[in-house]
Amino acid sequence: MTEFARQIEGFGAYLRDQARFSLHSVKGYLTDVEGLRRYLEENGLDLGSPGTSSLQAVDTQWIRGYLKTLHESRKKSTIGRKLAALKGFFRYLLREGVIDRDPLVGFSTPKQESPLVTFLSVDEAFRVLGCLPEEGILPARDRAVMEVLYSSGVRVSELVGLDWRDVDFSLGVLRVFGKGSKERIVPVGEVALAALRDYADHQRGRWGRAARGDEPVFLNRFGTRITTRSVARIVEKYLRLAGIPVRMGPHGLRHTFATHLLNAGADLRSIQELLGHVSLSTTQRYTHVNLDQLTAVYDRAHPRA
């Protein structure tokens, strides 16, 4: 193993054990750093035999060449993600004393184009939730998944990470762990709580697993924790059954949750807290999809409109 590869392993351990990144995020970061390693190797940079290091040789010219290849074949969002991973990697090397200068100083993340947010209208959301089947363990699970996503606005990663101890039926809240393992408390509606209770009864009957403590809330047909991809398939399935011609996954229900709150008069700061956004600017994109509503409010309320 080269010294470069060994440092990538160390970076992964740091992200997982100290920075407390999710396994999905760690995998993504390491894949992006590995892309740079392959580029350097393919273009003739000696990556160092075991016990030696060539990381000092990675300068701005090498980074510029690598980013140029990305610009030729990648979207801005992909380049931005890869650049964030590389910046994290070289900051880690600097802290560990492996290098004495950061070759990414001065490189800025490309400005992202803000895509329009995809969401369902209230009628569409109720049509989807209304077509969920009533009987059976997996239908009960699917109903709970859909109701919780729409009722709480949690990320799909937060949903699949739920354990039963994170569900407080008496207070009507969920404890979720968002990006960077940040904990927050999220309210959840009575309909979703009822769906969770019903699913808990089915879960105990099907797998004999207690719906409490550190037992996972959402299980697959084999009785193990459900995956984010499985949740995406559930969402796609019921959108299709409801005859809604919108291509969206679980994140679309998160957008729907936020948009419906905004339409009902909730302020952006509260929505920011509910969604777990670090920056209010992230939440503000929901105002763009409600421009007609905001304009109508302005026309009614402003004396010089």
Side-chain angles (χ1 to χ4, degrees):
M1 177 187 293
T2 66
E3 178 63 11
F4 200 122
R6 192 175 73 81
Q7 291 298 339
I8 292 177
E9 281 195 355
F11 180 52
Y14 162 76
L15 292 176
R16 185 178 59 252
D17 302 332
Q18 296 184 47
R20 308 292 293 176
F21 278 35
S22 69
L23 292 179
H24 178 75
S25 295
V26 172
K27 182 179 178 181
Y29 267 54
L30 297 187
T31 298
D32 291 338
V33 177
E34 182 65 22
L36 172 64
R37 188 200 66 77
R38 286 196 306 271
Y39 168 81
L40 297 173
E41 187 176 61
E42 291 167 0
N43 285 273
L45 180 64
D46 180 8
L47 297 183
S49 57
T52 65
S53 176
S54 62
L55 288 161
Q56 291 281 14
V58 183
D59 57 17
T60 56
Q61 290 299 109
W62 282 108
I63 298 296
R64 191 171 290 114
Y66 176 58
L67 293 179
K68 182 180 178 182
T69 65
L70 297 181
H71 277 283
E72 292 170 353
S73 59
R74 299 286 201 287
K75 295 179 180 178
K76 286 183 179 180
S77 58
T78 304
I79 296 169
R81 190 201 71 222
K82 290 181 179 293
L83 191 56
L86 295 180
K87 284 185 173 183
F89 177 60
F90 282 99
R91 282 196 298 267
Y92 162 78
L93 295 179
L94 203 59
R95 284 195 303 271
E96 295 294 309
V98 178
I99 58 175
D100 54 22
R101 54 186 170 73
D102 185 349
L104 278 126
V105 170
F107 284 90
S108 59
T109 303
K111 188 174 181 181
Q112 306 296 315
E113 299 174 357
S114 298
L116 287 176
V117 176
T118 301
F119 65 97
L120 302 176
S121 69
V122 173
D123 287 344
E124 287 172 332
F126 276 64
R127 188 161 38 142
V128 172
L129 297 174
C131 78
L132 296 171
E134 298 284 349
E135 300 298 328
I137 172 61
L138 294 180
R141 179 206 63 191
D142 292 356
R143 174 175 290 278
V145 163
M146 297 291 286
E147 291 285 1
V148 169
L149 284 173
Y150 175 60
S151 178
S152 65
V154 295
R155 300 177 178 93
V156 63
S157 59
E158 296 167 347
L159 180 94
V160 302
L162 282 173
D163 295 331
W164 282 109
R165 65 185 172 194
D166 301 321
V167 182
D168 191 321
F169 286 102
S170 60
L171 294 178
V173 297
L174 304 176
R175 180 180 63 164
V176 299
F177 295 89
K179 293 182 177 180
S181 295
K182 292 181 179 177
E183 178 183 335
R184 73 181 190 282
I185 303 300
V186 180
V188 62
E190 281 298 327
V191 176
L193 288 172
L196 279 170
R197 289 190 188 95
D198 180 56
Y199 167 59
D201 291 339
H202 280 84
Q203 188 185 86
R204 282 188 287 263
R206 166 77 178 259
W207 292 292
R209 299 181 67 163
R212 64 173 183 268
D214 59 1
E215 289 284 350
V217 173
F218 294 109
L219 305 176
N220 59 25
R221 65 180 66 250
F222 305 109
T224 58
R225 191 182 297 274
I226 201 171
T227 65
T228 57
R229 182 63 199 123
S230 292
V231 175
R233 282 194 289 265
I234 290 170
V235 174
E236 292 162 3
K237 172 183 177 180
Y238 292 108
L239 282 172
R240 192 167 56 250
L241 285 176
I244 305 228
V246 174
R247 290 181 60 84
M248 60 177 247
H251 214 67
L253 289 179
R254 179 171 160 86
H255 292 324
T256 299
F257 163 84
T259 303
H260 291 180
L261 283 179
L262 184 63
N263 286 347
D267 63 276
L268 281 175
R269 184 67 69 181
S270 298
I271 296 173
Q272 177 193 5
E273 291 293 327
L274 289 170
L275 294 175
H277 286 161
V278 174
S279 170
L280 185 59
S281 63
T282 307
T283 316
Q284 283 175 328
R285 61 182 167 163
Y286 293 105
T287 62
H288 299 306
V289 299
N290 290 279
L291 186 57
D292 290 342
Q293 181 195 6
L294 295 174
T295 302
V297 170
Y298 177 85
D299 288 341
R300 289 196 307 269
H302 198 282
R304 303 281 285 181

